[in-house]
Amino acid sequence: MEIIVCKDYEEMSRKAAELSAEGLRQHPDGLLSFAGGDTPLGTVHAFADMVNKGEVDISRAHYVSLDEWVGLSNTDEGSCGLFNEREFFARLEKSFASRHIINGAAVDIEAERDALNAYFAAHGPLTVSVLGIGMNGHLGFNEDGVSFDLDAHIIPLSDTTKRVMSKYFGEKFHPTHGISQGIRQIMAAERVILIANGAHKADIIRQAITGPVTNAVPASVLQNHPNCYVVLDEAAAAKL
Ligand code: F6R
């Protein structure tokens, strides 16, 4: 793991975008994935700017979303899909060769999971995976206790995730499950970039990076990844 401590959120975002672009430049026909949520907002914007300025070419590359709340599609407020549409695709002046956004509102959610695995079979493995970390150490919706051997799967949300999710939905929606890329797919990525900012992430970052590798803290599995960057602001790095 290479740990990069940045002075603030802007620097963290720029650094993560540059590392993403560098990874994709090595494999211009590769597969890219960004987490949704608060942390990657600046990274996604910075990466879109780089694409628009011609600093990285996505015309032959593919894009896949990381996860989704079961019950929500890419038109629903608070969904990961809408994050992708609004914060990333709407800003891009160029197109990926193809993209796959998980539809958590699919009537047949198991078929949706299978479609995600099929997309990986066609375009994987991931070239660059940009991840955030949950307060319980989750990656995507790989919640504490998850098997590290899974590909895409549907999983009950942990109590911690259920507590935190009101920041996305208020009281409007109470999801019980997530659909997510699995740890096996994340660990097969050529380059993983884990980003975190803010003092509230300092404890879980310490556990994930300096604690034992355990599915009680899923992000700890990244200690075993051969090409993982951890890009933090000073507050998130404060307990390392
Ligand atoms: C979202 C996702 C989650 C988040 C994590 C951190 O697509 O995969 O694992 O990355 O919950 O969320 P924020 O960035 O909102 O603190």
Side-chain angles (χ1 to χ4, degrees), residues 35-40 66-67 80 132-134 138-141 167-168 201:
D38 293 336
T39 316
L66 171 62
D67 55 1
C80 305
I133 184 169
H138 74 194
L139 298 175
F141 284 132
K167 74 173 177 166
Y168 304 118
K201 293 282 174 78

Side-chain angles (χ1 to χ4, degrees), residues 96-240:
F96 284 98
S98 79
R99 62 196 209 197
H100 181 93
I101 301 299
I102 303 165
N103 178 12
V107 178
D108 186 344
I109 196 69
E110 276 150 17
E112 190 64 20
R113 173 204 58 204
D114 295 346
L116 180 55
N117 282 330
Y119 193 78
F120 267 84
H123 300 295
L126 288 161
T127 307
V128 177
S129 171
V130 178
L131 301 166
I133 184 169
M135 296 301 287
N136 60 343
H138 74 194
L139 298 175
F141 284 132
N142 290 281
E143 300 285 39
D144 40 292
V146 75
S147 162
F148 289 164
D149 293 328
L150 291 174
D151 287 326
H153 60 283
I154 297 146
I155 182 169
L157 299 173
S158 72
D159 290 343
T160 309
T161 300
K162 286 181 181 163
R163 252 197 322 275
V164 172
M165 74 193 175
S166 64
K167 74 173 177 166
Y168 304 118
F169 308 114
E171 285 308 306
K172 286 203 272 305
F173 181 59
H174 298 278
T176 58
H177 287 71
I179 174 170
S180 182
Q181 292 175 23
I183 294 290
R184 190 150 70 179
Q185 290 161 325
I186 292 169
M187 288 299 281
E190 281 171 33
R191 172 177 294 207
V192 172
I193 304 163
L194 177 69
I195 54 178
N197 68 287
H200 63 300
K201 293 282 174 78
D203 261 323
I204 195 66
I205 281 291
R206 181 184 48 76
Q207 288 179 54
I209 289 170
T210 65
V213 174
T214 163
N215 66 357
V217 181
S220 65
V221 74
L222 296 177
Q223 292 178 35
N224 293 336
H225 192 281
N227 191 21
C228 176
Y229 295 88
V230 182
V231 188
L232 307 169
D233 75 351
E234 284 177 358
K239 296 194 174 165
L240 290 179

Side-chain angles (χ1 to χ4, degrees), residues 3-160:
I3 297 165
I4 301 170
V5 181
C6 301
K7 71 173 189 307
D8 56 19
Y9 180 77
E10 283 66 37
E11 190 178 301
M12 178 203 82
S13 303
R14 228 179 10 257
K15 184 69 194 169
E18 279 163 10
L19 286 168
S20 304
E22 183 184 86
L24 204 56
R25 279 190 211 107
Q26 288 165 12
H27 285 110
D29 54 354
L31 179 61
L32 172 69
S33 182
F34 285 128
D38 293 336
T39 316
L41 199 62
T43 303
V44 166
H45 292 174
F47 186 85
D49 285 348
M50 293 179 78
V51 171
N52 293 342
K53 285 187 201 147
E55 292 170 12
V56 57
D57 177 23
I58 59 165
S59 63
R60 289 160 55 207
H62 304 272
Y63 182 85
V64 63
S65 60
L66 171 62
D67 55 1
E68 188 56 275
W69 308 92
V70 170
L72 296 189
S73 78
N74 65 350
T75 55
D76 291 310
E77 283 302 329
S79 70
C80 305
L82 187 59
F83 174 92
N84 277 287
E85 299 292 343
R86 196 183 264 163
E87 306 300 343
F88 191 31
F89 300 138
R91 287 172 178 254
L92 285 176
E93 291 159 12
K94 322 225 167 132
S95 302
F96 284 98
S98 79
R99 62 196 209 197
H100 181 93
I101 301 299
I102 303 165
N103 178 12
V107 178
D108 186 344
I109 196 69
E110 276 150 17
E112 190 64 20
R113 173 204 58 204
D114 295 346
L116 180 55
N117 282 330
Y119 193 78
F120 267 84
H123 300 295
L126 288 161
T127 307
V128 177
S129 171
V130 178
L131 301 166
I133 184 169
M135 296 301 287
N136 60 343
H138 74 194
L139 298 175
F141 284 132
N142 290 281
E143 300 285 39
D144 40 292
V146 75
S147 162
F148 289 164
D149 293 328
L150 291 174
D151 287 326
H153 60 283
I154 297 146
I155 182 169
L157 299 173
S158 72
D159 290 343
T160 309

